[in-house]
Amino acid sequence: MTHLDIGRTGLAFGIFLGGVHAVWAGIVAAGWGQALMDLIFTLHFIDPPYRIAAFRLDTAALLVGLTFAIGGLLGLAFAAGWNALGRRRR
């Protein structure tokens, strides 16, 4: 089993999760958020129940920062668990 660097794995998870939410914030800022959500719900046979709020930079920054931190913690936990499982198998 490959050993994972805990810090790098946490950083990768954080960048991925924060990046996905940064893209979403960009979609909302461009004014395409409502159309995209309506499309996604409709493709899943759901009547769109939500309305997308107006873009706010402070809210977007909080969204990206918080999801980056959560992704980082999830990555740290994943790598630590992976490495622990790898040690047990040897």
Side-chain angles (χ1 to χ4, degrees), residues 6-87:
I6 292 175
R8 290 179 68 169
T9 304
L11 184 61
F13 273 55
I15 289 171
F16 175 75
L17 203 57
V20 167
H21 287 84
V23 168
W24 170 249
I27 289 169
V28 172
W32 304 332
Q34 188 65 56
L36 181 59
M37 287 300 290
D38 290 347
L39 174 65
I40 290 169
F41 277 109
T42 301
L43 289 175
H44 288 87
F45 307 99
I46 301 170
D47 288 327
Y50 300 109
R51 300 265 52 77
I52 303 301
F55 178 80
R56 290 183 40 184
L57 185 58
D58 59 335
T59 303
L62 184 60
L63 172 69
V64 173
L66 188 60
T67 54
F68 171 80
I70 290 169
L73 291 173
L74 289 172
L76 291 171
F78 174 79
W82 181 270
N83 291 341
L85 289 173
R87 270 186 253 125

